[in-house]
Amino acid sequence: MKKRICILASGSGTNCENIIRYFQGNGKAEIAFVLSNKPDAYALVRARRLGVKTYVMTKAEINDEEKMLGLMRREHVDFIVLAGFLLLIPGFLIDAYDHRMINIHPALLPKFGGKGMYGHHVHEAVKAAGETETGMTVHWVTRQYDSGEIIAQYKTAISPDDSADDIAAKEHKLEMEYFPKVIEKVINSTD
């Protein structure tokens, strides 16, 4: 039986699209739907173009246990993937999907994590700190931003001449290559 994945996304959705494409025709898993807290998130457009169901819920609705868990049950969700989702996940959802919910972070945690550390903010902080490498981290979701046990990390070298945009591009290349593979590996290990 295929595992059903829900993707939570708030932004442009490049990771979301990459994950959907990776699992199309994959015997182990399928994308049940993409949920966003932002009705104008381009991730929703990308998902619809690929034939994946989408939902939009406000922050209040996401924090409503009956609504959120009701949706997960109706859609038979086995696993949740955060791909650029910017809201703190409510505790009831973390409890219901303990070790079945992962997040991607655009830095080598525990560095450059926590509230407000997302997207360009992270890459600017990496640049300002004079780091010689950056990377991506996939971790279990807990009740605190970016604090869950690390599942996988991938690194890339950066130079003092790299701008924050250059750093972002190098890190994003890692996400495109490795994030779907990590998801598959994690899902296969939860059988």
Side-chain angles (χ1 to χ4, degrees):
M1 188 108 171
K2 285 186 178 185
K3 300 273 182 156
R4 290 179 53 82
I5 301 169
C6 161
I7 300 174
L8 304 183
S10 297
S12 71
T14 54
N15 269 308
C16 179
E17 180 175 347
N18 192 38
I19 294 162
I20 292 168
R21 288 185 184 282
Y22 185 86
F23 284 103
Q24 284 177 333
N26 182 305
K28 292 280 186 180
E30 63 186 346
I31 307 306
F33 63 91
V34 173
L35 183 143
S36 184
N37 59 309
K38 296 186 174 199
D40 61 346
Y42 199 69
L44 298 170
V45 174
R46 291 176 190 270
R48 287 184 204 120
R49 283 183 182 160
L50 293 170
V52 174
K53 192 184 303 187
T54 62
Y55 291 97
V56 175
M57 293 177 88
T58 64
K59 183 177 180 179
E61 289 172 320
I62 289 167
N63 285 299
D64 182 320
E65 185 170 356
E66 191 174 308
K67 280 189 179 173
M68 192 66 171
L69 288 180
L71 174 62
M72 296 298 161
R73 280 191 293 272
R74 278 192 312 279
E75 292 288 351
H76 307 285
V77 171
D78 300 303
F79 203 85
I80 300 174
V81 173
L82 280 59
F85 190 69
L86 301 181
L87 296 180
L88 187 63
I89 302 299
F92 66 81
L93 192 60
I94 293 167
D95 293 344
Y97 285 87
D98 182 42
H99 281 84
R100 293 187 297 137
M101 185 183 331
I102 62 175
N103 182 42
I104 189 169
H105 185 75
L108 297 171
L109 292 174
K111 291 182 177 182
F112 310 108
K115 187 171 175 62
M117 291 303 286
Y118 61 90
H120 220 265
H121 302 288
V122 174
H123 306 303
E124 288 169 355
V126 168
K127 171 74 176 164
E131 295 289 316
T132 58
E133 65 180 8
T134 192
M136 60 166 271
T137 302
V138 180
H139 64 90
W140 295 112
V141 176
T142 63
R143 291 172 188 260
Q144 296 173 331
Y145 285 112
D146 304 323
S147 64
E149 179 187 347
I150 293 171
I151 297 165
Q153 287 187 318
Y154 296 91
K155 299 176 183 180
T156 186
I158 54 176
S159 77
D161 297 332
D162 285 339
S163 67
D165 287 339
D166 295 332
I167 293 168
K170 287 180 176 183
E171 186 277 329
H172 191 69
K173 190 173 177 183
L174 295 175
E175 292 180 6
M176 293 296 102
E177 182 175 352
Y178 294 110
F179 194 26
K181 293 174 186 173
V182 172
I183 295 166
E184 183 176 39
K185 185 176 180 183
V186 170
I187 286 173
N188 288 342
S189 71
T190 61
D191 287 341

